Amino acid sequence: MKKEVFKKGLAAMLAVVMMLSATACGRPNDGETTKQSPEATTSGSGESTSAEVEDTGITFPLKEEVTFKLAYRSAADTDPDVLEKCAFWQELYETTNVKIELVKLPATDTMTKLNALFMSNQEPDGIFSSFMKDADIDQLVASELLMPITDYVKDPEVMPNFHERVLSESPKSLGYMTSPDGEIYTLVKYSGLEADFLESPMFINKVWVEKAGWKVEDIKTIDDLEAVLTYFAENDMNGNGKDDEIPYMVKADHSANHFEAFLGLYGIPTKNGAKENYVYVEDGKVIFAPTTTGFKDAIIKLNDWYEKGLIWEEAFTATADTFNAKYTGEEAVIGLYQYYSLSAVTSDQYVTLLPVKVEGYEPSWYVNPGSMGAKNHFIVTKDCENADILLAWLDQFYKFENAWRWAYGEEEDGRYTVENGVYKVNEELKKDKVAWDKLNQEKPAGSFLITQMTTAYTAADYASGKLVLTKEYQRLQENYQLYRPYLNDEIWPRPYMTADATNKLSELRTDIFSTVDMKKAEWITGKADIEKDWDAYCDSLNKMGVDELVSLMQQAYDTYMAGQK
């Protein structure tokens, strides 16, 4: 069936699609301090650095040149001719005989422009689509404007590097990429750096702990922790003569320092409604956390701590700037907090605190689904010819050497050095923004134009010594190892959903999540009594359709599980 048949369907949904904001994948950037991508050193692997495809049904270089039009959105709004200065890009053409004509999409109203290309039959063969949300993909799939790439992705002859480097290490990635109709439409960018996906471990001020007469390793129960926090609240721990100590720092709508991070002590690995759906998975069953006994018990404890002055009084009102000022201040004012990483300013005062024991519960910690890859990094449009060649060409970027050269260019460019077979990023040059930007203009790496390429750095790369982490990431990896026994191995994968299911979920979330957020704030701050409210609260959520909300997510999770087979 031809595209024209679907134009009415697309036009009917276009208004919805245009309303979808085009934001890059990864952790939300809402003004909060988040950790950056790792800078690493790497030892030589002995593998070829060419773009040659080995052991596939497609032999590069092709006997005859094949051309593809690929669309991208550049954060720097850079024109594609910048790649004429990129040595790797030129080499890739010579070794594959695949010519790429890049189509620049505008940095703003990107989806509007892209939909206009579809409506006028001018869409490209493929799109570097990291700016798209799941809902954008769902709408294009519903309009039958994307090509299923399932057979190519699952074929190790077409995509050998993807199979060898991604699926061999993370077989769940197949399910993660699978749409509700059982097909795969998008490719992932993969990182096996475990430290990147542990969210909200506990960090405690060891200096204050010792002043309180404790040792960090002796804080083993929730009662122990409360005793230490109480000491923090009642004493001038930083010795500045001010009553500015925050025993437990929490910001309700934060991406990692939220109240739901505390639920891990009660066996509930989830995030809040602002960043997630308040759900977690146990024995294959999707569970809505705010109606569980564990949630209720945790809120009771948080209310007790709030009334005792152990929790930041601005937890529900502070802005991101206020939080950052406390977190990054030169003088430590925080006793305990949960976050991705430590503040660089006061990090020497803090150590990782293992989950403390809560009677009747076993801790279970949230792991970000990005551990299976970052979704939506490349899509193929419906009428693309020679899609197998295009996918084999993209598979080149899953090779370690090609991923590195795409990110950092050539050694002689100056972004990194090689000493005794170890590659090291030039941190001093990178700190000099003027010099770094000048280099990117004169000798750009491919990532200067397309920042989110379908690349892979695997856990094996790090474990083998090929990649050596910076000191910050060494510490984060140590945190991951400490928390490994407590991690939930049934990750909520934020699976793809149908367009109809997405719209229905959005409709249900409005009232349900507003109720949860309102009652949570009232209960923690003592404005309402959870014991008196609980039954009526659960009844109201049932009337709002919480069972249907969970059912929709269960269906999506089941599709994810089926996609792994």
Side-chain angles (χ1 to χ4, degrees), residues 67-309:
T67 300
F68 297 101
K69 286 187 177 181
L70 305 181
Y72 75 100
R73 184 182 75 169
S74 176
D77 198 27
T78 309
D79 289 323
D81 58 6
V82 71
L83 290 187
E84 293 178 3
K85 305 174 184 178
C86 176
F88 174 66
W89 185 255
Q90 301 305 318
E91 179 185 312
L92 191 63
Y93 169 68
E94 294 170 0
T95 56
T96 63
N97 207 19
V98 173
K99 182 178 180 181
I100 303 298
E101 296 180 0
L102 290 170
V103 178
K104 185 174 74 170
L105 296 173
T108 58
D109 295 326
T110 312
M111 287 303 299
T112 301
K113 172 62 175 177
L114 187 57
N115 284 311
L117 291 177
F118 277 111
M119 291 291 288
S120 60
N121 289 330
Q122 295 179 327
E123 73 273 16
D125 297 298
I127 303 163
F128 293 105
S129 51
S130 63
F131 59 86
M132 293 188 185
K133 292 182 176 180
D134 283 3
D136 297 312
I137 302 294
D138 294 338
Q139 294 287 2
L140 292 175
V141 170
S143 299
E144 300 185 42
L145 294 172
L146 299 186
M147 176 183 292
I149 56 176
T150 315
D151 291 342
Y152 304 128
V153 171
K154 291 186 175 182
D155 188 344
E157 290 192 348
V158 175
M159 301 192 69
N161 295 307
F162 177 76
H163 278 255
E164 179 182 349
R165 290 179 48 74
V166 179
L167 291 188
S168 64
E169 183 170 287
S170 178
K172 291 182 178 180
S173 294
L174 269 185
Y176 187 58
M177 299 161 65
T178 300
S179 290
D181 62 1
E183 299 283 5
I184 294 173
Y185 294 93
T186 79
L187 295 180
V188 297
K189 177 181 181 180
Y190 180 76
S191 171
L193 179 56
E194 295 170 323
D196 234 356
F197 307 109
L198 170 64
E199 295 196 5
S200 311
M202 290 185 155
F203 297 111
I204 196 164
N205 191 317
K206 66 177 180 179
V207 176
W208 290 11
V209 170
E210 291 169 359
K211 281 186 178 181
W214 286 72
K215 293 181 180 179
V216 171
E217 56 268 27
D218 292 335
I219 304 174
K220 297 181 178 180
T221 70
I222 193 73
D223 290 338
D224 293 339
L225 184 56
E226 181 175 330
V228 171
L229 295 180
T230 300
Y231 191 94
F232 293 171
E234 296 175 348
N235 293 273
D236 182 11
M237 301 308 300
N238 54 19
N240 64 2
K242 301 177 182 178
D243 184 19
D244 58 356
E245 285 77 12
I246 303 172
Y248 181 28
M249 177 79 154
V250 189
K251 183 177 181 299
D253 60 350
H254 195 278
S255 63
N257 183 248
H258 45 71
F259 282 107
E260 282 64 38
F262 184 77
L263 296 179
L265 297 177
Y266 291 77
I268 301 175
T270 191
K271 294 191 71 168
N272 59 17
K275 308 298 180 184
E276 192 56 271
N277 283 314
Y278 277 124
V279 297
Y280 64 104
V281 182
E282 189 174 277
D283 298 328
K285 182 180 179 181
V286 176
I287 300 173
F288 188 64
T291 56
T292 63
T293 301
F295 179 87
K296 179 183 177 183
D297 288 347
I299 295 297
I300 291 172
K301 174 58 69 174
L302 289 168
N303 166 245
D304 182 49
W305 281 10
Y306 190 89
E307 292 185 343
K308 290 177 178 177

Side-chain angles (χ1 to χ4, degrees), residues 367-434:
V367 179
N368 191 290
S371 58
M372 294 177 286
K375 292 190 295 186
N376 304 341
H377 272 60
F378 190 85
I379 55 179
V380 181
T381 57
K382 184 170 181 62
D383 290 333
C384 172
E385 296 182 358
N386 300 311
D388 56 341
I389 295 176
L390 177 57
L391 271 295
W393 180 83
L394 282 161
D395 185 62
Q396 301 313 294
F397 294 92
Y398 287 114
K399 291 185 70 172
F400 168 78
E401 290 77 11
N402 293 342
W404 182 271
R405 291 178 68 195
W406 182 259
Y408 297 109
E410 312 307 310
E411 180 187 358
E412 56 267 27
D413 294 345
R415 293 183 186 85
Y416 62 96
T417 57
V418 182
E419 296 180 7
N420 299 321
V422 176
Y423 291 65
K424 186 175 183 179
V425 174
N426 188 337
E427 290 291 337
E428 292 304 314
L429 176 62
K430 193 170 184 180
K431 291 178 183 177
D432 186 341
K433 188 176 185 305
V434 174

